Amino acid sequence: MGQKVNPIGFRVGSFFNWKSRWFAEKDEYADLLLEDYRLRKFLNEKLATAGLMRVDIERSFTIMKVILNVSRPGVVIGKGGANLEEIKKGIEKVINVSKSKKDKVKIDLRVEEIKQPDLSAKLVAERISGQLAKRYPHRRAVSQAIERVMQAGAKGVKIALSGRIAGAEIGRTEKYSKGSVPTQTLRANIDYHEEPALTRSGYVGIKVWIYRGEMI
């Protein structure tokens, strides 16, 4: 099989829920989709140090619920909830920037803590990306990541690097794995993420698959 299917998209609707949960008519759909994209981009930049794993968005007529799954909720909330209010104002600015007063929506912001950050493919990929950007040896970075993931209780992990690895003249692909990662088994709970790392020689693409066990 030469075709590659995103493991999360492959399971959405059957075992995984959608990250954006709302309905829109044909003339509104594109605008709301762009809003979601801008909101996620803003939150990823704003909460880079908070270990943001996932942003869930639910919409009703007048209220928009934003659920942040983070590994360090204290960074998001801040002292006396100061950071939370600042983030909420930032979200309102992104969402309501082009709307009239009667069309503006209220934001219901919620923060949920991730108990096992080492089982998040996004956080693992971002950590490796940061290490490669700082010229950390790629094999050591990957092996340390794999050990952390397996110690956190994963059944298997696979990491693929692609590009000018270690400053090579010709781009190549290297794959590392431990345990089993049954990507074609629908009931397998697999987390997946892609992340680019900008090194001095050029971009190195990072892909991470983490198998957490079967979903019943």
Side-chain angles (χ1 to χ4, degrees), residues 4-150:
K4 301 295 186 295
V5 179
N6 187 302
I8 294 174
F10 191 43
R11 293 163 177 80
V12 166
S14 302
F15 294 98
F16 294 164
N17 206 348
W18 285 263
K19 292 180 182 178
S20 292
R21 298 186 282 275
W22 45 265
F23 175 81
E25 298 292 344
K26 192 184 286 186
D27 56 339
E28 294 181 318
Y29 181 81
D31 293 334
L32 294 180
L33 189 66
L34 186 60
E35 264 184 24
D36 281 13
Y37 170 77
R38 285 175 177 158
L39 177 58
R40 287 196 168 92
K41 187 179 178 183
F42 164 75
L43 290 170
N44 276 309
E45 290 171 0
K46 186 79 174 174
L47 303 175
T49 57
L52 179 65
M53 186 193 97
R54 178 183 167 116
V55 179
D56 287 346
I57 299 170
E58 295 179 6
R59 294 175 186 266
S60 63
F61 290 109
T62 55
I63 298 174
M64 181 176 177
K65 188 192 291 183
V66 181
I67 304 163
L68 306 176
N69 293 272
V70 294
S71 60
R72 293 187 287 277
V75 176
V76 181
I77 297 165
K79 193 174 182 180
N83 286 2
L84 203 63
E85 283 302 312
E86 187 183 331
I87 292 163
K88 198 170 181 179
K89 285 177 183 175
I91 293 171
E92 286 175 348
K93 192 174 179 182
V94 171
I95 297 301
N96 295 323
V97 67
S98 60
K99 292 184 179 177
S100 61
K101 195 171 183 180
K102 65 181 179 64
D103 294 327
K104 289 186 177 179
V105 294
K106 292 181 180 177
I107 306 299
D108 178 12
L109 186 60
R110 301 186 184 185
V111 181
E112 294 182 1
E113 184 182 3
I114 305 164
K115 301 297 182 185
Q116 290 280 13
D118 284 323
L119 291 180
S120 166
K122 183 176 185 289
L123 300 184
V124 171
E126 285 176 350
R127 190 186 297 125
I128 296 171
S129 174
Q131 289 174 321
L132 296 185
K134 293 173 183 173
R135 304 183 70 186
Y136 196 76
H138 68 281
R139 286 193 181 91
R140 193 184 303 169
V142 170
S143 64
Q144 286 175 355
I146 287 173
E147 284 305 313
R148 269 198 225 99
V149 171
M150 295 304 288

Side-chain angles (χ1 to χ4, degrees), residues 183-216:
T183 51
Q184 295 300 308
T185 306
L186 267 175
R187 64 181 179 276
N189 184 357
I190 293 178
D191 194 18
Y192 172 76
H193 188 71
E194 300 174 6
E195 185 75 22
L198 181 56
T199 66
R200 292 183 69 179
S201 306
Y203 276 105
V204 174
I206 303 159
K207 293 181 180 179
V208 178
W209 294 258
I210 296 175
Y211 175 42
R212 301 172 179 171
E214 289 194 357
M215 294 177 282
I216 301 169

